[in-house]
Amino acid sequence: MANPSINQGHHQAHIMIKLTHSESFKKLFFTLFSVVILLLSVNVPGTLAANNDEDYLAVTTENPNIDLGELEFSLTPLTKGELTIEVDAWLAILKARATIVSEAEILVSQKQKKILAAQEISDISTESAILLDKSKNDKAAAKELKEDLDEIKSLARDIKHKKADKAVDELSKTPESLNQLAKKADLYSHKMQKRRELLIKNLTQLREKKNDALERFQLVLSSWESKGGDGTELHLYANALSGTNVDLTDSDAAWLTIKGWLLSQDGGLRWLANIIKFTLALFFIYILSRTAGKITDAALNRNSNLSTLLKLFIKVSVRRVILIIGFIVSLTLIEINVAPVLALIGAAGLVVGLALQGTLSNFASGMLILIYRPFDVGDIIEIDGVTGTVHSMTLLSTSIKTFDNQHLVVPNNNIWGTTIVNVTGSRTRRVDLVFGIGYGDDMVKAEKIMLDVVSRHELILENPAPVVKVNELADSSVNFVCRPWVKTENYLDVYWDVTRQVKEEFDKQGVSIPFPQRDVHVHQVAEITEK
């Protein structure tokens, strides 16, 4: 008899095998299904992609007043072909609005001509009413009256108004009728002027709408160019439509146009806001540069390894870099494209660099001086036989004040290209003195006098110890060298003090200091007399 537990175990194992096969089949099915979907979703270059572009309809023009930021986000995922359709759609909107503006400008010009014609009819009618009485007895007045009436008819035809033609045709050549015509012409001129002013106000709004479309068109055009499109001709078209045309010959229209632009949200008010933002940005950048300069100065003062010249250069450079970058960035607040400005700066830099090679050489030398620090502000240096104190330095030149208070400005290229002697480059300095005594004087006594003088002087350093030694047996003296060490700033004081004190001590203790002498020997030769 079979064991039930064994049969149950086989049954469970069989079920597990079926489940395992079932799960494997499901996994295989889902894998194949995913591959098929992936293959179907892949676009074949030149076929499906092209069909998608051909079937694509512009979506960004559904709202012609779409926000610029939203429009930019909408353009980002579009392909070049889709952007081509978007450019065409916005071009159509821009062209339609520009056409409406042009038609409105033509209408304003036509109304101005009618107003001028009506005003001239009024003036001529008034003059003709006066001539009418004279024309009865004066042939010249009659001729002039006839010319005026013909001019009135010609002007009435220029107005192209039925009432104007009818009023002239019904003219009965009486002073009353002529005066009545003048009043009607004035009334017509006044009404036309009102309509014209209203039309100019509407024209300002139409220009704003055109400029809005132009701004969005340029954004779409830039996005299209960034993905390979060539928009040279379209940029020329857009530039031709930019700006506002003002007829300066028509003072009323010019003033109304300017006034409307100044009060429009996309005109004067917009530029006023931009200028305010630009001014505030410049003020903020100035404060930021001053603050950054102070922070940089405080940080550099903690580093004693940097020279004063380098610290000053870094501080000024930080301030100027912030000012320049901030100014260029602030130009975007007044809607100036900084890309051409940067390109212009680069081109100008190349031209200036070629023209100012000597100046650039001084600039490079100034940078090397700042990096290698052969001297600092306040140091006494000697360059090409000129000795003085470094007063200040720029990247192009170094200012030196001589001891007689002359102000020298030396190009950095001249300084870097020659030997620089930094007199105060070290903290201590040796004073080299030479004293001579006579051959008959006591050398030990003289040496002791000099050692006593240098040991008593408070400015002479004990370490290194001063040196007093016989150095030379000269023609007329025995020369000693006296070499005490002092702090650099005390060099001249010690030099002068020791020289004076040694001379005074030599005189007190009977040690002579020889000076050059010349002995002249005269030989007398007896005169030989011939006999």
Side-chain angles (χ1 to χ4, degrees), residues 47-108:
T47 57
L48 186 57
N51 292 333
N52 286 341
D53 288 345
E54 290 176 0
D55 298 337
Y56 178 80
L57 296 176
V59 294
T60 59
T61 54
E62 293 177 358
N63 177 18
N65 298 321
I66 183 173
D67 182 74
L68 291 175
E70 295 178 1
L71 177 59
E72 187 173 3
F73 291 140
S74 301
L75 297 173
T76 302
L78 300 183
T79 63
K80 177 185 175 183
E82 292 170 343
L83 285 171
T84 303
I85 297 174
E86 295 288 348
V87 169
D88 291 337
W90 280 104
L91 179 61
I93 294 175
L94 176 61
K95 185 177 179 181
R97 293 188 179 182
T99 302
I100 294 174
V101 170
S102 298
E103 292 175 352
E105 289 175 341
I106 293 172
L107 190 58
V108 169

Side-chain angles (χ1 to χ4, degrees), residues 16-181:
M16 291 296 293
I17 291 171
K18 286 185 176 180
L19 289 174
T20 304
H21 285 295
S22 173
E23 291 178 357
S24 299
F25 178 76
K26 287 181 180 180
K27 290 182 179 179
L28 178 61
F29 174 77
F30 282 121
T31 303
L32 292 174
F33 180 75
S34 301
V35 171
V36 172
I37 294 298
L38 181 62
L39 291 174
L40 291 176
S41 64
V42 175
N43 291 335
V44 179
T47 57
L48 186 57
N51 292 333
N52 286 341
D53 288 345
E54 290 176 0
D55 298 337
Y56 178 80
L57 296 176
V59 294
T60 59
T61 54
E62 293 177 358
N63 177 18
N65 298 321
I66 183 173
D67 182 74
L68 291 175
E70 295 178 1
L71 177 59
E72 187 173 3
F73 291 140
S74 301
L75 297 173
T76 302
L78 300 183
T79 63
K80 177 185 175 183
E82 292 170 343
L83 285 171
T84 303
I85 297 174
E86 295 288 348
V87 169
D88 291 337
W90 280 104
L91 179 61
I93 294 175
L94 176 61
K95 185 177 179 181
R97 293 188 179 182
T99 302
I100 294 174
V101 170
S102 298
E103 292 175 352
E105 289 175 341
I106 293 172
L107 190 58
V108 169
S109 178
Q110 291 176 348
K111 288 190 178 296
Q112 176 65 10
K113 291 180 181 178
K114 291 181 179 181
I115 292 171
L116 294 176
Q119 290 175 349
E120 195 168 354
I121 289 175
S122 176
D123 295 338
I124 295 175
S125 298
T126 304
E127 293 176 359
S128 299
I130 299 173
L131 286 173
L132 188 60
D133 293 333
K134 296 181 181 179
S135 62
K136 297 177 180 178
N137 301 321
D138 190 347
K139 292 183 178 180
K143 182 179 179 181
E144 185 177 354
L145 177 62
K146 184 178 182 303
E147 292 176 353
D148 288 346
L149 294 176
D150 292 338
E151 181 68 18
I152 291 174
K153 292 180 180 179
S154 176
L155 292 171
R157 288 193 296 269
D158 291 340
I159 293 177
K160 296 179 181 180
H161 195 278
K162 292 182 179 180
K163 289 185 178 181
D165 294 338
K166 185 177 180 181
V168 174
D169 292 338
E170 294 176 354
L171 188 64
S172 60
K173 297 182 181 180
T174 61
E176 291 77 11
S177 63
L178 289 171
N179 289 328
Q180 188 66 24
L181 180 62

Side-chain angles (χ1 to χ4, degrees), residues 292-418:
K294 292 180 180 179
I295 294 174
T296 304
D297 189 27
L300 292 174
N301 287 335
R302 298 177 182 177
N303 192 339
S304 59
N305 295 326
L306 299 178
S307 64
T308 304
L309 289 174
L310 186 57
K311 292 178 181 177
L312 182 62
F313 170 74
I314 295 175
K315 175 184 175 182
V316 174
S317 298
V318 168
R319 289 184 56 187
R320 290 179 179 175
V321 167
I322 292 176
L323 287 175
I324 293 173
I325 295 177
F327 176 76
I328 294 176
V329 172
S330 299
L331 291 177
T332 59
L333 297 176
I334 53 177
E335 301 181 14
I336 294 179
N337 188 3
V338 297
V341 175
L342 295 176
L344 181 62
I345 292 174
L350 178 61
V351 174
V352 172
L354 294 175
L356 302 177
Q357 294 182 6
T359 302
L360 291 178
S361 177
N362 288 325
F363 180 87
S365 298
M367 291 297 298
L368 292 173
I369 291 173
L370 289 175
I371 294 172
Y372 290 101
R373 300 180 299 166
F375 55 81
D376 201 351
V377 173
D379 287 352
I380 298 175
I381 62 174
E382 180 180 348
I383 301 173
D384 286 340
V386 177
T387 304
T389 304
V390 179
H391 179 261
S392 62
M393 177 186 169
T394 66
L395 287 176
L396 300 179
S397 62
T398 300
S399 176
I400 300 174
K401 277 194 174 183
T402 61
F403 296 125
D404 56 353
N405 207 30
Q406 293 183 7
H407 193 182
L408 306 180
V409 179
V410 185
N412 287 335
N413 198 30
N414 293 355
I415 295 177
W416 189 252
T418 188

Side-chain angles (χ1 to χ4, degrees), residues 450-451 454-455 460-468 482-485:
M450 287 182 277
L451 287 173
V454 297
S455 62
I460 294 178
L461 302 177
E462 296 180 359
N463 187 22
V467 175
V468 177
C482 179
R483 296 175 177 175
W485 286 83

Side-chain angles (χ1 to χ4, degrees), residues 184-256:
K184 290 182 178 179
D186 286 336
L187 182 60
Y188 176 81
S189 174
H190 182 70
K191 290 182 178 179
M192 291 297 294
Q193 184 65 29
K194 290 288 186 181
R195 294 177 182 176
R196 181 169 170 272
E197 291 177 359
L198 181 60
L199 182 59
I200 291 175
K201 291 181 181 179
N202 293 332
L203 179 58
T204 302
Q205 297 177 356
L206 293 175
R207 284 171 175 158
E208 291 179 5
K209 292 182 178 179
K210 182 204 71 172
N211 292 332
D212 289 343
L214 177 61
E215 190 173 10
R216 286 156 179 79
F217 171 73
Q218 289 175 332
L219 180 60
V220 176
L221 185 60
S222 299
S223 180
W224 178 57
E225 287 178 327
S226 66
K227 296 180 180 178
D230 183 9
T232 304
E233 294 184 1
L234 294 176
H235 274 298
L236 294 176
Y237 178 75
N239 292 334
L241 295 181
S242 62
T244 301
N245 297 324
V246 179
D247 185 7
L248 297 179
T249 60
D250 186 356
S251 59
D252 294 336
W255 165 243
L256 289 174

